[in-house]
Amino acid sequence: MSSFPAPNFRLDGKKALVTGASRGIGLAAAVALAQAGAHVTLAARSKDELAAACKDITASGGHADFVVLDVTDSAAVDHLITNQGPFHVLVNNAGMNRPKPLVEVTNEDLDDIFDLNVKSVFYASRAVAKSLIAAKQPGSIITISSQMGHVGASNRTVYCASKHALEGMTKALSWELGQKNIRVNTICPTFIETALTKGMFEDPTFKASVVSKIALGRVGHVNEVMGSVVFLASDASSLITGSALMLDGGWTAA
Ligand code: NAP
């Protein structure tokens, strides 16, 4: 049995940074990482929500702090990571969607979605990798992509383009960083009940069409992303890089 040590899902002694951690999937990811023993820095723009989340985590015995950060500001991202890094785990979670028919998408929509969904992920990944390489430490970069990084869908031209970009970025980064023992992967959820999807699900016809494409016959809950975040952050996934972990309830298996 000694040649088969139990897989290690613990993150004691690790520092983690989660973007978009004030609510939704990012908040669940931050809680999960803290439960696994990491010291977690929660980053987003909403100070009160971040402070409440930190208070909850520390009240439960976890270690956490927060920073008010707009992740589309590359100088601010660099400043945080240079001064508070190296972070051994980065969860690039902050993201947005503005579902619209192609002909109604404005240049501003295109810029806003790419600034947040793609460019901010590049900024944070670059800064975290730089500080880990300088410190000669291993790391795990996890990006919350989407099933929409693997398929297309109506009213989601820009969102799908942004998530497909993350899949390509992740594969390239895995080759850039593999020799430095920094792993890079995506998590690709199906529709999860959060503030992002609340408005969409107010249309019962839309919700029914979504559920009909999920083999499990239901949408997801934020808690169902937590295990995958801890798995990819930990040594239990030590051979996984450049991969996409599909949390799509079977959507892309059709
Ligand atoms: P959400 O509930 O809308 O939360 C988005 C988070 O991003 C918030 O914490 C928000 O905090 C933060 N954020 C937005 N703009 C930011 C900025 N400029 N700087 C820093 N933080 C910013 O979204 P969610 O549903 O949890 O989605 C999280 C991620 O999962 C996104 O990348 C999304 O594309 C992906 N995803 C979601 C679903 C789904 O069905 N929900 C499915 C697949 C993938 P502040 O407003 O406080 O800044």
Side-chain angles (χ1 to χ4, degrees):
M1 290 292 282
S2 60
S3 40
F4 295 101
N8 182 10
F9 293 90
R10 292 296 305 173
L11 297 169
D12 306 282
K14 304 282 187 193
K15 285 177 63 170
L17 172 63
V18 181
T19 71
S22 56
R23 70 187 80 92
I25 293 170
L27 175 55
V31 170
L33 294 170
Q35 287 169 342
H39 181 114
V40 185
T41 298
L42 294 84
R45 297 164 304 173
S46 307
K47 186 176 180 186
D48 291 350
E49 291 179 39
L50 289 168
C54 267
K55 201 172 159 196
D56 278 357
I57 291 171
T58 48
S60 307
H63 303 287
D65 56 30
F66 71 89
V67 58
V68 175
L69 177 73
D70 180 344
V71 289
T72 65
D73 179 345
S74 73
V77 169
D78 282 346
H79 185 265
L80 167 71
I81 293 166
T82 306
N83 288 291
Q84 292 189 33
F87 293 99
H88 309 98
V89 177
L90 167 65
V91 181
N92 287 308
N93 164 78
M96 65 186 289
N97 191 8
R98 283 185 200 149
K100 282 182 190 177
L102 167 69
V103 294
E104 292 175 18
V105 174
T106 64
N107 289 353
E108 192 183 8
D109 293 330
L110 186 61
D111 286 343
D112 289 349
I113 294 172
F114 266 76
D115 281 352
L116 183 61
N117 290 13
V118 181
K119 291 171 74 175
S120 81
V121 172
F122 183 88
Y123 300 149
S125 301
R126 178 177 61 187
V128 163
K130 195 174 172 185
S131 64
L132 284 171
I133 291 166
K136 295 187 168 42
Q137 293 192 23
S140 174
I141 297 175
I142 302 162
T143 297
I144 309 298
S145 171
S146 169
Q147 65 183 15
M148 296 302 174
H150 297 262
V151 295
S154 298
N155 297 324
R156 282 169 171 74
T157 307
V158 186
Y159 187 75
C160 285
S162 73
K163 296 299 187 180
H164 277 71
L166 294 179
E167 296 299 325
M169 191 192 305
T170 297
K171 288 176 185 172
L173 282 176
S174 71
W175 275 95
E176 286 256 349
L177 301 174
Q179 296 291 322
K180 306 290 184 193
N181 205 8
I182 300 169
R183 298 183 296 108
V184 194
N185 294 288
T186 62
I187 290 176
C188 303
T190 187
F191 283 81
I192 308 278
E193 285 177 328
T194 67
L196 186 84
T197 52
K198 192 169 184 290
M200 304 175 196
F201 288 153
E202 279 162 11
D203 174 356
T205 310
F206 177 77
K207 187 161 184 186
S209 83
V210 163
V211 169
S212 74
K213 293 180 187 132
I214 300 175
L216 293 174
R218 62 177 179 81
V219 298
H221 188 273
V222 286
N223 295 5
E224 296 179 276
V225 184
M226 295 167 75
S228 299
V229 170
V230 171
F231 171 60
L232 286 178
S234 71
D235 287 345
S237 61
S238 55
L239 200 55
I240 301 180
T241 196
S243 276
L245 190 47
M246 305 306 295
L247 272 62
D248 65 354
W251 186 297
T252 60

